[in-house]
């Protein structure tokens, strides 16, 4: 890489030539070669795609039409994988061809800004793993579990169809556009494309959404660990383990990442096994059984300390551990589901489609689409896709495999979580996921409540609950809301059939809890850090001193503000007399989907600026859907007169009760509890209004920008100037025959160059 | 290719993949980049972006986490 010719290049116009270095091998295949390879349908290829379509179609029929007493989990896997393959092969190809026009003759930021550190070309398969590890977290594991109350079909359709038409489209486009802009962040792109108002609204919305997401993830952990000595012990052991790994990497063996991760993993297993032994002892079961509120305060203190400690000590090592666990466990679960093939006895669409369900309140439309966010469409991914990944991409065409393909993979995780949640008995599912306000937190209360729901085929007995609790090594499983414990029971239910038998169920349960807690604690810590930097940046406009991020008091103050913000929401969720997760989770989904709407709005403006109005529908479709769902959901949350759905309706009901001098109302048994409901619903309602107003501002500015481009027909671009690439790499997971040929020529040339260089050095 | 060779090849590819995904190859990449740019030291652009002196392995890993300190990246939910 000697000289860097810079040629202005308008990407909207195609066919313009980048100067090609005549001494160099081709750095890209011609468009005609790509087209010819694609259009070349051999009988084998036709057979394969015909087979995929048939199998996919059959699986959908088995899920949606046949509906016997039970349905086998394998049909979920086939329906998902076949649909993904077809969506990837045809729809993402369509987007590539008509909207994005990747040009492999252009160097990516990893090439023209290469510094060997932040900007470094990374093999596409490795980067796929990286990107997947960064986007997949607790979200796709928790949302589908809660949505399972609606039956298996609505969630399955939304996860699979949603990802193909919405989620993967967003990730792919944001990744591509950020790559074309040297790896710029979503916030910066919003400012560039939508102007000051839209950009500022996007920034404030992102910050607020971040706070709510961190708070609710923390709430999931608190609900999973409260009164569980085993879980509290093993999860808190991750802190010393991570500290040990951090010191090991810093002082003893720098860079031995895999080695230290394996050591950490073994220690983690020891912590899980040790947790079981300690929970069996008298002192352990009392010392580590912590109630929700003290546990929440513990997590808040932890969040503050973790976010101001240096990265090398806690965040980086735990990140390695979490990546290691993530890839291992998800792979293991996929294999287990395929081998065990559990039968699922839940109905396709349950009694709660029209609302009234105890797990998440509200009807299927719109609340299913906000309950399952990650896995179908997740706005948070736009922050990742405009973060590290675009700085590491080797070639432009690889964005399809990494962006679109990576999101399909996450969707598959969501399907597996859904299958795991559905594989447990429905009665147990509802006993675990109904709030303590409904079950009273006792086995008898849960049995009475669940059986009173009148669900077909559900006949819960107290023995079923005590037996399951005993199997998974917990005191009780009643009202373990938040999704994580249910998923863990499901995972234990599947895994013990493969490894270890029923004696291992408790181990698998706590393994899964650990696995989720690890992701969430990393997300909490990293989210607090990112939010703190955003806040410092904004405060810096008024108090310049805050701009300096290494100024310690400034860092502590801003970290404190961010932790206080999510901590307040967390405490509110934990102490909520109405149950917490069922009222707060919709806020999480709405926040995440609004962020998606913001990201798609930015993409809409960019596509319009490229002058591609014929294909604007590709972005407009998911954007409209996300906008309708979130605005309608917010509308219901704000204006619904049904107290279980509307925050302000609930607020009024409780205020009126207080005014009438009642000392107990609904599930709130004391005046303080009633006052808490009044306070909480007010905060939740105000947050809903804030989110929706900000998102509407962003969308309106995006539509304005799009209209302006349409009217004036003047197409500019905020892309970096094109720089000629000087390297070649295939674009998909498997190289095509033509790509293989060209790659082989490059390999020979590189080998020859190395030989020459070696020759020169010896001669010297 | 006999069975043993293909198993060995598979294991090797897996190890390469895991190394990459965990980010263990970061220093190798940095070194390769730096060495490639050493040759074109006359190019001020290249010299400026990789810095004049190549960091040792220990320095590099410290620098890497220190950079993360001032440039935090979110993890997804």
């Amino acid at each position: 890489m000697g000289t860097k010719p810079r040629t202005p290049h308008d990407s909207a116009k195609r066919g313009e030539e980048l100067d090609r270095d005549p001494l160099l091998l081709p750095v890209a295949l011609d468009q005609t070669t790509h087209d010819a390879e694609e259009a070349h349908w051999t009988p084998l290829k036709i057979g394969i795609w015909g087979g995929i379509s048939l199998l996919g179609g059959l699986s959908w029929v088995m899920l949606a039409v046949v509906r016997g007493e039970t349905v086998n989990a394998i049909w979920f896997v086939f329906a998902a994988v076949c649909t993904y393959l077809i969506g990837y092969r045809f729809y993402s190809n369509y987007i590539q061809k008509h909207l994005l026009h990747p040009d492999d003759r252009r160097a990516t930021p990893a090439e023209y800004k290469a510094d060997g550190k932040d900007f470094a070309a990374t093999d596409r398969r490795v980067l796929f793993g990286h990107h997947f590890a960064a986007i997949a977290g607790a979200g796709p594991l928790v949302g589908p579990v809660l949505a399972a109350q609606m039956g298996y079909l609505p969630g399955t359709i939304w996860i699979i169809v949603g990802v193909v038409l919405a989620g993967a489209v967003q990730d792919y486009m944001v990744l591509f556009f950020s790559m074309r802009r040297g790896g710029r962040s979503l916030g910066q792109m919003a400012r560039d494309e939508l102007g000051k108002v839209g950009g500022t609204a996007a920034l404030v919305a992102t910050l607020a959404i971040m706070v709510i997401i961190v708070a609710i993830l923390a709430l999931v952990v608190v609900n999973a660990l409260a009164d569980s000595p085993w879980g509290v012990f093993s999860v808190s052991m991750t802190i010393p383990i991570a500290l040990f790994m951090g010191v090991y990497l810093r002082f003893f063996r720098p860079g031995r990442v895999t080695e230290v991760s394996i050591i950490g993993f073994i220690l983690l297993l020891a912590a899980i096994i040790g947790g079981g032994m300690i929970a069996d002892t008298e002192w352990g079961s009392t010392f580590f059984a912590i109630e929700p509120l003290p546990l929440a305060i513990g997590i808040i203190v932890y969040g503050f300390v973790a976010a101001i400690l240096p990265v090398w000590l806690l965040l980086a090592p735990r990140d390695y551990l979490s990546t290691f666990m993530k890839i291992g466990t998800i792979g293991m679960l996929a294999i287990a589901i395929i081998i065990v093939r559990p039968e699922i006895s839940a109905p396709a669409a349950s009694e709660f489609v029209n609302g009234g369900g105890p797990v998440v309140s509200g009807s299927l439309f719109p609340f299913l689409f906000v309950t399952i966010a990650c896995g179908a469409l997740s706005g948070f991914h736009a922050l990742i896709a405009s973060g590290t990944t675009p700085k590491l991409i080797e070639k432009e065409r690889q964005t399809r495999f990494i962006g679109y393909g990576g999101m399909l993979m996450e969707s598959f995780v969501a399907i597996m979580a859904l299958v795991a949640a559905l594989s447990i008995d429905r009665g147990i599912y509802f006993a675990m996921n109904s709030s303590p306000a409904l079950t009273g937190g006792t086995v008898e209360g849960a049995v009475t409540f669940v059986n009173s729901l009148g669900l077909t085929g559900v006949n819960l007995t107290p023995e079923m609950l005590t037996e399951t609790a005993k199997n998974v090594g917990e005191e009780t499983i009643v009202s373990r809301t938040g999704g994580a414990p249910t998923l863990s029971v499901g995972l234990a239910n599947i895994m013990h059939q493969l490894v270890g038998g029923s004696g291992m169920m408790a181990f698998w349960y706590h393994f899964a809890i650990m696995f989720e807690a690890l992701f969430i604690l990393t997300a909490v810590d990293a989210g607090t850090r990112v939010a703190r930097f955003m806040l410092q940046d904004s405060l810096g406009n008024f108090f310049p001193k805050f701009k300096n991020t290494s100024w310690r008091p400034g860092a502590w103050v801003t970290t404190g503000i961010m932790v206080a913000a999510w901590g307040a929401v967390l405490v509110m969720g934990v102490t909520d007399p109405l149950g917490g997760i069922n009222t707060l989770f919709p806020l999480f989904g709405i926040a995440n989907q609004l962020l998606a709407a913001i990201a798609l709005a930015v993409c809409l403006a960019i596509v319009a600026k490229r002058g591609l109005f014929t294909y604007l529908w590709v972005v407009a479709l998911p954007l409209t859907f996300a906008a309708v769902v979130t605005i309608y959901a917010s509308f219901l949350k704000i204006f619904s007169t049904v107290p279980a759905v509307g925050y302000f309706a609930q607020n009024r009901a409780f205020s009126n009760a207080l005014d009438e001098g009642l000392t107990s109302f609904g599930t709130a048994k004391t005046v303080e509890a009633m006052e808490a409901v009044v306070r909480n619903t007010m905060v939740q309602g105000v947050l809903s209004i804030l989110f929706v107003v900000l998102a509407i501002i962003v969308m309106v500015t995006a539509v304005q920008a799009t209209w302006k481009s349409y009217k004036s027909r003047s197409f500019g671009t905020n892309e970096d100037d094109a720089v000629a690439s000087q390297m070649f790499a295939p674009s998909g997971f498997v190289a095509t025959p033509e790509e293989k040929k060209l790659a082989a020529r490059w390999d020979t040339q590189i080998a020859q160059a190395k030989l020459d260089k070696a020759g020169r050095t010896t001669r010297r | 290719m006999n069975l043993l060779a293909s198993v060995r090849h598979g294991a090797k590819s897996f190890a390469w993949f895991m190394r990459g995904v965990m980010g263990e190859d970061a220093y190798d990449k940095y070194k390769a980049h730096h060495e490639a740019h050493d040759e074109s030291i006359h190019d001020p652009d290249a010299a400026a972006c990789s810095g004049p002196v190549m960091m040792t392995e220990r320095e590099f890993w410290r620098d890497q986490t220190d950079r993360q300190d001032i440039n935090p990246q979110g993890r997804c939910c």
Side-chain angles (χ1 to χ4, degrees), chain A residues 375-455:
Chain A
L377 172 63
S378 170
F380 223 84
H381 292 188
L383 303 181
I384 313 284
S386 61
T388 322
T389 314
K391 297 175 183 149
L392 302 175
I393 287 205
E394 261 181 326
K395 297 298 277 180
E396 291 203 337
R397 290 177 75 89
Q398 293 174 353
T399 46
R400 177 180 163 213
F401 168 54
I402 292 160
Y404 199 95
M407 180 63 192
L408 292 180
M409 191 79 172
E410 160 145 324
S411 173
F412 188 62
V413 174
I415 284 289
M416 291 197 298
L418 186 70
V419 167
L422 289 163
S423 77
I424 65 175
D425 179 83
R426 257 183 111 213
I428 295 177
Y429 171 85
F430 281 103
M432 289 185 79
N433 287 292
S434 302
S435 75
L438 300 170
T439 62
T442 60
V443 170
E444 296 72 34
V447 170
T448 319
F449 172 73
V450 172
N451 287 337
S452 76
L453 288 170
L455 305 170

Side-chain angles (χ1 to χ4, degrees), chain A residues 225-556:
Chain A
L225 297 184
D227 300 313
S228 163
W230 186 337
V232 168
F233 174 81
S234 50
V235 170
S236 43
M237 284 308 285
T238 60
I239 300 168
I241 292 172
L243 294 176
F244 163 75
M245 288 169 65
V247 170
Y248 186 94
L249 275 176
R250 183 84 168 184
F251 301 108
F252 300 121
R253 308 259 292 162
R256 297 294 182 277
V257 172
T258 309
E259 174 186 302
V260 82
S261 302
I262 292 171
I263 297 175
F265 179 68
I266 293 168
L267 291 173
L268 219 54
L269 292 183
I272 299 173
I273 296 167
M277 294 176 190
I278 282 172
D280 271 344
T281 62
E282 189 68 40
W283 67 272
S285 63
T286 43
F287 185 74
F288 289 107
I290 306 178
E291 298 215 338
L293 188 59
L295 197 59
I297 291 167
I299 287 188
I300 292 167
V301 172
Y302 163 84
F304 180 77
V305 174
I308 55 173
L309 281 181
V311 163
W312 66 265
L313 190 55
L314 188 58
L315 179 68
R318 205 190 30 220
D319 218 10
Y320 290 133
L321 209 51
S322 149
T323 307
F324 198 79
M325 285 277 276
K326 202 174 286 185
I327 294 178
T329 312
I330 288 172
M332 184 180 81
L333 184 59
I335 294 169
I337 287 181
I338 293 167
I339 297 178
V340 176
R341 295 190 301 277
E343 285 291 330
I344 283 158
S345 53
S350 80
E351 295 81 349
F352 300 122
V353 165
N354 295 319
V359 183
V360 187
S361 23
S363 54
L364 185 129
F365 186 84
F367 290 105
L368 173 82
F369 303 95
V370 293
T371 306
I372 302 181
C374 312
L377 172 63
S378 170
F380 223 84
H381 292 188
L383 303 181
I384 313 284
S386 61
T388 322
T389 314
K391 297 175 183 149
L392 302 175
I393 287 205
E394 261 181 326
K395 297 298 277 180
E396 291 203 337
R397 290 177 75 89
Q398 293 174 353
T399 46
R400 177 180 163 213
F401 168 54
I402 292 160
Y404 199 95
M407 180 63 192
L408 292 180
M409 191 79 172
E410 160 145 324
S411 173
F412 188 62
V413 174
I415 284 289
M416 291 197 298
L418 186 70
V419 167
L422 289 163
S423 77
I424 65 175
D425 179 83
R426 257 183 111 213
I428 295 177
Y429 171 85
F430 281 103
M432 289 185 79
N433 287 292
S434 302
S435 75
L438 300 170
T439 62
T442 60
V443 170
E444 296 72 34
V447 170
T448 319
F449 172 73
V450 172
N451 287 337
S452 76
L453 288 170
L455 305 170
T456 39
V458 169
N459 187 17
L460 190 63
T461 61
E463 291 73 43
M464 286 162 77
L465 291 176
T466 45
E467 182 68 25
T468 310
K470 208 176 115 234
N471 281 341
V472 299
E474 287 290 287
E475 195 77 1
T476 171
I477 54 163
V478 171
S479 293
R480 284 291 165 121
T481 55
T486 312
L487 177 72
S488 303
V489 171
L491 189 133
N493 193 23
I494 293 170
M495 286 308 299
H496 88 274
Q497 299 178 43
L498 192 67
V499 186
S502 56
M504 282 277 277
M505 256 186 105
F507 172 83
W508 285 121
Y509 174 86
H510 286 95
F511 182 84
I513 290 280
M514 161 80 84
F515 161 74
E516 289 169 276
L518 209 55
F519 293 178
I520 293 180
L521 292 180
T522 310
V524 165
D525 176 354
T528 307
R529 279 173 195 270
V530 174
R532 172 212 134 190
F533 272 76
M534 286 165 73
L535 182 66
Q536 272 200 288
D537 201 45
S538 315
L539 280 182
N541 294 329
F542 308 102
F543 313 99
K545 216 166 176 188
F546 277 98
K547 281 264 186 214
N548 174 12
T549 49
S550 42
W551 180 50
R552 298 313 297 170
W556 292 337

Side-chain angles (χ1 to χ4, degrees), chain A residues 558-582:
Chain A
T558 44
T559 304
I561 295 173
M562 288 337 290
V563 172
W566 63 254
V569 180
L570 171 62
V571 169
M572 190 172 87
V574 168
T575 55
D576 189 14
L578 301 177
I581 205 88
N582 54 348

Side-chain angles (χ1 to χ4, degrees), chain A residues 164-198:
Chain A
V164 168
L165 296 177
V169 176
Q170 175 210 260
D171 287 22
Y172 179 22
M173 292 195 142
V174 172
L175 177 60
F176 182 84
F177 291 138
S178 170
M179 176 199 70
R180 275 281 172 95
R181 286 157 179 76
R184 240 171 283 168
S185 71
L186 180 69
Q188 287 167 307
M189 289 198 282
R191 205 161 37 231
D192 293 344
E193 307 299 333
L194 309 179
K196 215 169 176 182
V197 175

